[in-house]
Amino acid sequence: MLVKLTPKKAFRIPVEAENIKPDNFAGKGKSGIESITVCHGNKEVILGSLFDVEVKGVGNEKETKILIDGDASRIKRIGERMTSGEITINGNVDMHCGALMSGGKIIVNGDADAWAGREMRGGEIMVEGNAGHYLGAGYWGVEKGLRCGIIRVKGNAGDYVGEHMAGGEIVVQGSAGLLPGLNMSGGKIMIEGDAILPCGEMKKGIMIIKGKILEMLPSFRFDGTEVIDSIELKKFTGDLAIGGSGTLYANFVSEE
Amino acid sequence: MIITDVLCPFCGDLCDDIIVEVENNKIIEVKEACETGVSKMMGHERIAAPMIRENGKLRETTYEEAINKAAKILVNSLRPLIYGWGSTTCEADEKGIELAEKLGAIIDNTTSVCHAPSVLALQNVGLPSCTLGQIKNRADLIIYWGSNQAEAHPRHMSKYTSFSKGLFTKEGRKGKHVLVFDVRKTTTAEVADDFIQLDPGEDYRVLSALRMILAGGEDIVPSCVGGVPKEKLIEIVDRMKSSRFGVLFFGMGLTQSRGKPYNVANAISLVRELNAHTKFAVIPMRGHFNVTGFNQVCAWATGFAFAVDFARGQPWYNPGETSSVDVLNRGECDSALIIASDPAAHFPRKCVEHLKKIPLIQIDPCPGPTTELADVVIPVAITGIEVEGTAYRMDGVPLRLRKIIEPSHLSDEEILSRILDKVRELRGD
């Protein structure tokens, strides 16, 4: 079952669309999907008033693929809490894309704004462009960010990648911003480019930085070198300021 | 007439020992307050009457017409923003939150651009704190981090910290050690015992180094962190551990530099860990006299301290998404009500440009840059001088603001009540 949503216009006031997910679309026809509600500002509206809806075939949530054909840079929460199926966004996407999802796949053929994959419990997010701040992080005060599943970003990621992450995997093919892996307690983050002050207050988990650590925290112990993916990387343990036992690998640490 | 024990409605210290002389309903002299407090209480240019912008120009009108127009703007908005609340009473805050809920608006206060990172940090790590009175009576180690209170809170040091004398601090300044961490030698640093100059943006790293040393891992710490030699950091940790009662005050130098909430969380965690060795407390240096009060009222009314979005009916809070600067920067909101604050003077240019584009309502006693952009201007009485009410000091102690003279205008609370009534009427509730 394939559902194509084409935005009728570019939105300035964001649309909150946690209802756009295969779990809600499965088994429904065109009119059924058009009558699903989303929020636009402080008004509840139906999907059909904001999007042109095309439906091909029928199927359960696992077999449901949603295509958002256009700019979704003001559409928040797409795929929030989804459990299976697939969503493709042909453009940029707004905050909380794939937040709390536990299965299925989201492909963003553009940039993803902040909090993509927030507190994700399973499934996969693939961002072809850049990701914003708090990729795979936790909501304020929440103890666990990303728990399970994988997030891949082809471009760069913003600050606080994997903040409070407890499991799963994040791969950033470009560089990350400030304090990636902050408070992480499990899982693995791979940054192929550079990063600033990685792994602050890290308890457990693995961070691999194939590029440079541009600035390093003063609370990590150098523990020799190890070969990972056929590159010899420096190994550090920390964050010792909190008695952490996380592992940080890096190719190069910039001298002050 | 001489009135004693007046509260000063200016900064977060909320001094409660001001003496005011009043003659013919006019304040003619203010004693004990700092220069800024005196200036505020003696009075400034006021907005005379309500105004509405027509053909690009403000024209005077009645309260009724201005309130009706404000209510119409708000009712017809998909994403209204209600912002300000730095200098008004908790009673007005309460009405504002009710209005925001009714409208499905975002309500946010000046915390958003000052101590928001402090609120976020304490959600993660708590806040081992105390009152200013306890500090006056007990503290022998005073630390100011990224805070120049000699200029921002002029009486802070004489009333509560460096120069004050209390029950167990009878020696005053002699018995206290004052440490200042900052990126430049401020007026506060000049009267400190020790000034530690940090490289800009290095707060997080220096705090991590202090925690590392405190945890017994000084061997790991490099010879210099963030511009501070390791020996100095070790000396500071020793001094912290050997104090009887230490306190860390932090300002926007910590909250608004690189790493924002995580700087604060790191500082709070350091203080928490110091409590294994001695008594230590931490207090954010809050700016406006009742910015803390809004956080209190908003937290008990909605569960969140600021930046609350009522668009979906129930409150949703996510600074970075629902905070004023962010919604204005993205051009999201389609109207704004500004009360007891002047964002056109302080917000980033792009935000101010968006404020200019949308219908803007201002509620304030005095004209300012926001007045120049406003479509509806509603003058009010000055809280703490012409209106009484509740305000929270920076340490979370609620105090009663007093009415010194009779007002010439309606209060914030009254205006908000009337807007709320009109909104209900327009929506047929």
Side-chain angles (χ1 to χ4, degrees):
Chain A
M1 176 179 174
L2 179 70
V3 183
K4 186 170 154 189
L5 302 176
T6 312
K8 288 185 177 177
K9 60 168 191 170
F11 307 109
R12 185 170 59 78
I13 294 172
V15 177
E16 299 219 358
E18 70 279 7
N19 281 344
I20 299 184
K21 58 179 175 182
D23 308 68
N24 282 352
F25 285 17
K28 289 197 173 84
K30 185 175 185 309
S31 64
I33 291 170
E34 277 175 342
S35 61
I36 288 172
T37 56
V38 290
C39 273
H40 191 211
N42 54 19
K43 298 278 182 304
E44 203 171 69
V45 293
I46 55 165
L47 262 187
S49 69
L50 304 178
F51 298 89
D52 290 320
V53 180
E54 285 174 54
V55 183
K56 277 183 197 154
V58 282
N60 61 23
E61 55 264 27
K62 223 174 179 177
E63 297 151 356
T64 302
K65 289 185 176 182
I66 301 173
L67 172 68
I68 299 178
D69 199 17
D71 179 48
S73 59
R74 287 296 161 93
I75 308 176
K76 290 176 179 169
R77 301 174 182 274
I78 291 174
E80 183 172 297
R81 294 182 192 271
M82 73 185 262
T83 62
S84 63
E86 196 178 299
I87 301 177
T88 303
I89 299 140
N90 278 339
N92 301 335
V93 70
D94 206 355
M95 299 173 192
H96 308 290
C97 178
L100 296 145
M101 72 187 275
S102 56
K105 187 174 180 183
I106 299 179
I107 300 154
V108 182
N109 289 318
D111 297 340
D113 210 316
W115 287 288
R118 169 172 65 81
E119 294 158 62
M120 186 171 161
R121 280 126 159 100
E124 186 182 348
I125 298 178
M126 173 81 219
V127 180
E128 292 288 330
N130 301 318
H133 300 320
Y134 292 102
L135 177 73
Y139 179 68
W140 307 106
V142 164
E143 275 188 15
K144 290 178 181 174
L146 178 68
R147 296 177 184 190
C148 196
I150 178 159
I151 305 176
R152 288 196 180 86
V153 177
K154 285 218 174 140
N156 301 320
D159 297 341
Y160 320 122
V161 170
E163 183 257 10
H164 273 102
M165 168 171 170
E169 191 178 345
I170 299 178
V171 180
V172 178
Q173 285 178 248
S175 292
L178 189 65
L179 292 163
L182 186 72
N183 285 104
M184 75 186 277
S185 59
K188 182 174 149 188
I189 302 179
M190 163 97 80
I191 295 165
E192 299 191 4
D194 305 334
I196 305 164
L197 299 177
C199 303
E201 295 171 82
M202 177 192 214
K203 293 178 194 78
K204 271 183 186 167
I206 298 166
M207 166 80 80
I208 302 166
I209 297 170
K210 289 192 174 170
K212 292 191 210 68
I213 295 182
L214 298 174
E215 291 170 58
M216 179 80 181
L217 286 167
S219 43
F220 280 76
R221 184 181 64 228
F222 177 62
D223 279 338
T225 60
E226 242 176 68
V227 176
I228 291 176
D229 294 347
S230 64
I231 315 172
E232 192 179 82
L233 299 174
K234 293 187 173 80
K235 183 185 175 190
F236 299 89
T237 303
D239 182 340
L240 298 173
I242 59 148
S245 57
T247 310
L248 165 62
Y249 295 98
N251 188 14
F252 186 82
V253 180
S254 293
E255 295 300 324
E256 290 301 315
Chain B
M1 183 177 46
I2 307 275
I3 308 170
T4 57
D5 298 332
V6 173
L7 269 75
C8 171
F10 180 67
C11 82
D13 267 334
L14 215 54
C15 293
D16 51 6
D17 57 350
I18 314 299
I19 301 163
V20 178
E21 192 173 349
V22 176
E23 222 176 75
N24 299 324
N25 203 40
K26 251 194 101 154
I27 295 175
I28 57 164
E29 196 177 7
V30 177
K31 286 183 192 159
E32 299 295 329
C34 68
E35 251 179 87
T36 325
V38 171
S39 170
K40 173 154 187 191
M41 295 178 91
M42 291 298 288
H44 284 270
E45 186 195 350
R46 299 282 292 271
I47 303 168
M51 294 184 283
I52 282 179
R53 193 173 295 277
E54 267 174 8
N55 305 318
K57 283 197 174 139
L58 287 170
R59 68 155 173 88
E60 289 196 354
T61 180
T62 58
Y63 267 118
E64 196 185 353
E65 195 194 356
I67 285 164
N68 287 354
K69 176 139 195 214
K72 265 184 208 150
I73 289 172
L74 293 169
V75 164
N76 292 322
S77 300
L78 269 183
R79 197 150 175 79
L81 168 70
I82 304 182
Y83 172 83
W85 316 102
S87 308
T88 187
T89 59
C90 292
E91 291 77 3
D93 296 344
E94 212 180 323
K95 277 277 171 263
I97 293 161
E98 200 180 339
L99 178 66
E101 185 177 8
K102 180 59 61 192
L103 291 166
I106 293 175
I107 186 160
D108 191 16
N109 84 326
T110 45
T111 301
S112 204
V113 289
C114 62
H115 277 278
S118 314
V119 175
L120 293 170
L122 74 88
Q123 277 179 287
N124 270 330
V125 295
L127 191 77
S129 198
C130 67
T131 65
L132 293 174
Q134 283 173 293
I135 290 162
K136 178 190 170 188
N137 286 310
R138 295 173 188 276
D140 61 341
L141 175 62
I142 318 284
I143 302 173
Y144 288 108
W145 195 305
S147 163
N148 184 13
Q149 74 294 327
E151 287 175 48
H153 300 80
R155 295 182 75 211
H156 193 80
M157 288 191 289
S158 58
K159 278 193 70 150
Y160 304 114
T161 64
S162 319
F163 304 104
S164 68
K165 288 182 183 172
L167 199 57
F168 305 108
T169 53
K170 291 202 168 77
E171 285 188 294
R173 182 70 182 86
K174 264 203 303 190
K176 297 178 189 190
H177 191 83
V178 182
L179 266 175
V180 171
F181 291 80
D182 215 315
V183 293
R184 65 181 75 83
K185 192 158 189 182
T186 59
T187 324
T188 307
E190 277 165 16
V191 294
D193 296 301
D194 207 350
F195 165 54
I196 294 97
Q197 187 160 17
L198 308 180
D199 290 339
E202 290 292 344
D203 307 74
Y204 187 91
R205 201 148 41 163
V206 171
L207 286 159
S208 287
L210 291 170
R211 288 177 74 189
M212 189 72 250
I213 294 165
L214 185 66
E218 58 183 66
D219 308 346
I220 299 209
V221 175
S223 59
C224 183
V225 181
V228 189
K230 180 176 171 177
E231 301 73 51
K232 190 78 204 167
L233 294 168
I234 294 171
E235 182 196 318
I236 293 163
V237 171
D238 286 342
R239 192 175 280 284
M240 287 169 164
K241 282 161 71 177
S242 60
S243 67
R244 265 184 306 138
F245 187 126
V247 60
L248 171 66
F249 290 101
F250 62 91
M252 282 166 67
L254 185 71
T255 68
Q256 296 296 330
S257 72
R258 186 177 73 158
K260 296 179 175 190
Y262 306 107
N263 296 338
V264 181
N266 216 353
I268 295 173
S269 299
L270 170 68
V271 168
R272 195 179 57 199
E273 287 153 13
L274 280 164
N275 275 283
H277 303 271
T278 185
K279 173 73 186 169
F280 230 95
V282 55
I283 295 186
M285 295 291 293
R286 304 303 303 267
H288 292 291
F289 74 85
N290 196 25
V291 65
T292 310
F294 180 87
N295 298 145
Q296 297 276 348
V297 176
C298 198
W300 67 247
T302 73
F304 306 110
F306 67 104
V308 177
D309 182 1
F310 279 106
R312 316 274 309 249
Q314 78 277 29
W316 162 251
Y317 155 86
N318 192 20
E321 179 184 12
T322 59
S323 32
S324 305
V325 165
D326 301 278
V327 285
L328 287 170
N329 192 36
R330 279 163 55 105
E332 279 185 23
C333 41
D334 53 355
S335 76
L337 184 158
I338 308 295
I339 177 165
S341 177
D342 195 1
H346 305 116
F347 274 16
R349 186 190 169 123
K350 209 176 158 196
C351 300
V352 179
E353 279 172 358
H354 188 68
L355 280 176
K356 187 170 187 296
K357 279 185 211 158
I358 58 176
L360 181 64
I361 303 149
Q362 185 195 26
I363 302 175
D364 208 285
C366 305
T370 304
T371 318
E372 300 301 314
L373 310 179
D375 300 288
V376 180
V377 179
I378 306 178
V380 281
I382 298 182
T383 300
I385 295 173
E386 301 168 339
V387 184
E388 63 171 2
T390 310
Y392 280 73
R393 206 166 62 182
M394 64 163 74
D395 54 350
V397 172
L399 296 166
R400 190 76 182 163
L401 297 161
R402 294 177 64 183
K403 178 165 121 177
I404 311 300
I405 54 174
E406 286 303 318
S408 48
H409 296 83
L410 299 174
S411 69
D412 291 316
E413 192 188 350
E414 177 66 24
I415 297 289
L416 290 163
S417 290
R418 287 170 67 170
I419 293 177
L420 190 56
D421 288 344
K422 192 70 200 170
V423 165
R424 285 202 180 100
E425 185 192 315
L426 289 170
R427 303 234 311 216
D429 295 350

